[in-house]
Amino acid sequence: MFLRSFSFLFLLSLCASAQKLVPPVLHQNPAGELQTYRENLTALRKDHTSQRELPDLKFFLFGMGNRLKLIYRNGRLLNALTGNIEEQWKVKEELIVPSSYLVHLVLADGQIVQILENETGVWLLQPTKRPRLIPGTRSRLNLPQFADKRFGPVLRVLHQELLINIIHGRPAPNFLVYPKPRYRDAAIMSMALRETTNLALIQDWIMAIRDPFDRNNQGIAEADNLGEVLFLVSLVSGKTHPVVQMVLDSADRFRKENYILGQTDSDEHPVYQTKWLKYGLKLLNLPDAYVIPKQYDSYSSLFWWGYTNEHVAGKKFDEGSRTNRPYMVWAEDHFYQEKRGMLGNLDYPLSWEQKSGNAHYPAMTVLDKDLVKQKLAFPHSWHAAEMFLLLYKMN
């Protein structure tokens, strides 16, 4: 009995030590890390030459996953949702190193402060003080280095831009301007989270889905949502999930002959919609009597991971899409193996969306009021996910 009790206590102590926080250490060469990242970004820009200028606000977001959302800008660390100042310093020099999730500050009195986010939380580091974990930021994340990837440092930043847009367990296109998740964005985002084993962050949200439609586009039930919901369910559950039968029942409303037809982004996209539905049915091992129609559909090329032979070529996305909805063209690049996708001119962020009819841009005031006038939000999770998934496949 004594030996059994001792063994149990020993195992408990091992579990406790495994969960104990190990504070990070001060980064000794942030300038070198920034140079490495910029060289990697320059190499990407040589591959993808289309570029646009974005407002250089010199900021960085902290709070990946379900952590407190924070903004560093101009010597202040702000609560991103309330605008309250959490910390502030008189700064003489600052270095923002996006790929290290690091802001390095030299204060007016010569002291050094580093704000660093890692797998365990967001930390304040100083050479003469113990590391301090910022309240509300403690949680576990998987943050790969992607050291074996050609664009590893860039992938680190894109991964951060995905994780920063998870809020309260829900995947948002941009956590500031979109109050609700969008199934289309969440599905692509989840493909990247699956690669980095971070799906647990949104598992509860997926399990709680009961409506086959997100109704984010003027309340319209969009037909592509059906397959997207089935895909999301397949990541964490199975065909017995309560929403699955609701999806199957709803599909009958959109059925036309042997495919589905409805609204997606205020237009009909039967090829794209049917591809999504067939894909979801396949993943859940459900009967599939649908056939992808043989017709041109501008959204068909967004579906680059399957049914690629079921495609009628035609006009590609225009300059307006490249500028305002760059995720569309990055997805099209993935389909056609081209390089039309646009990059910004900044170190950070790398993703954006502009002039969306469904975004609440006044929330960007916490960053800069001019973003409200420009109807510009960054980072953007669908854009970051499309870039990530394309670059991740490269050796």
Side-chain angles (χ1 to χ4, degrees), residues 98-324:
S99 57
S100 298
Y101 314 146
L102 171 71
V103 173
H104 174 87
L105 305 176
V106 180
L107 306 188
D109 61 4
Q111 290 189 71
I112 290 174
V113 174
Q114 290 185 352
I115 314 164
L116 173 70
E117 185 158 12
N118 68 0
E119 290 84 353
T120 56
V122 182
W123 298 81
L124 290 180
L125 308 176
Q126 290 183 261
T128 58
K129 297 181 180 179
R130 295 180 63 182
R132 179 160 67 90
L133 183 68
I134 296 176
T137 69
R138 178 174 178 172
S139 66
R140 284 280 172 184
L141 297 172
N142 187 33
L143 302 176
Q145 293 293 327
F146 306 112
D148 61 331
K149 300 294 182 182
R150 179 183 174 194
F151 295 111
V154 170
L155 286 169
R156 289 264 297 171
V157 178
L158 293 170
H159 191 216
Q160 188 267 357
E161 295 183 18
L162 287 169
L163 294 177
I164 206 71
N165 281 317
I166 295 174
I167 182 166
H168 307 313
R170 301 166 6 136
N174 174 280
F175 74 90
L176 288 171
V177 304
Y178 284 95
K180 288 173 57 184
R182 299 171 70 91
Y183 292 155
R184 194 177 314 134
D185 301 57
I188 307 301
M189 193 176 179
S190 295
M191 293 180 186
L193 296 178
R194 179 175 56 186
E195 296 294 342
T196 65
T197 62
N198 281 299
L199 277 173
L201 296 170
I202 61 170
Q203 179 171 337
D204 289 348
W205 171 74
I206 297 173
M207 292 301 296
I209 292 175
R210 293 297 181 272
D211 193 334
F213 308 102
D214 60 38
R215 304 180 192 276
N216 272 314
N217 197 350
Q218 301 175 348
I220 295 169
E222 297 184 288
D224 60 302
N225 283 175
L226 299 171
E228 290 150 7
V229 167
L230 294 181
F231 166 70
L232 288 166
V233 166
S234 77
L235 295 172
V236 299
S237 184
K239 64 179 73 175
T240 59
H241 188 291
V243 81
V244 171
Q245 188 58 50
M246 298 178 192
V247 168
L248 299 179
D249 293 341
S250 297
D252 290 337
R253 291 168 44 193
F254 298 95
R255 185 158 188 160
K256 183 175 181 180
E257 298 174 4
N258 54 5
Y259 60 91
I260 61 170
L261 176 67
Q263 294 286 306
T264 292
D265 287 340
S266 305
D267 206 349
E268 294 181 343
H269 293 285
V271 176
Y272 181 68
Q273 295 158 353
T274 307
K275 283 182 177 182
W276 260 121
L277 182 56
K278 288 179 66 66
Y279 187 61
L281 293 170
K282 177 183 176 182
L283 292 178
L284 291 174
N285 295 313
L286 291 166
D288 175 13
Y290 295 96
V291 176
I292 298 165
K294 291 180 170 59
Q295 65 183 77
Y296 169 72
D297 179 345
S298 63
Y299 273 30
S300 174
S301 60
L302 298 181
F303 206 97
W304 47 260
W305 56 92
Y307 311 114
T308 52
N309 292 328
E310 304 290 328
H311 178 73
V312 176
K315 185 180 178 182
K316 297 180 180 178
F317 291 110
D318 60 15
E319 193 64 25
S321 295
R322 293 177 73 210
T323 303
N324 298 329

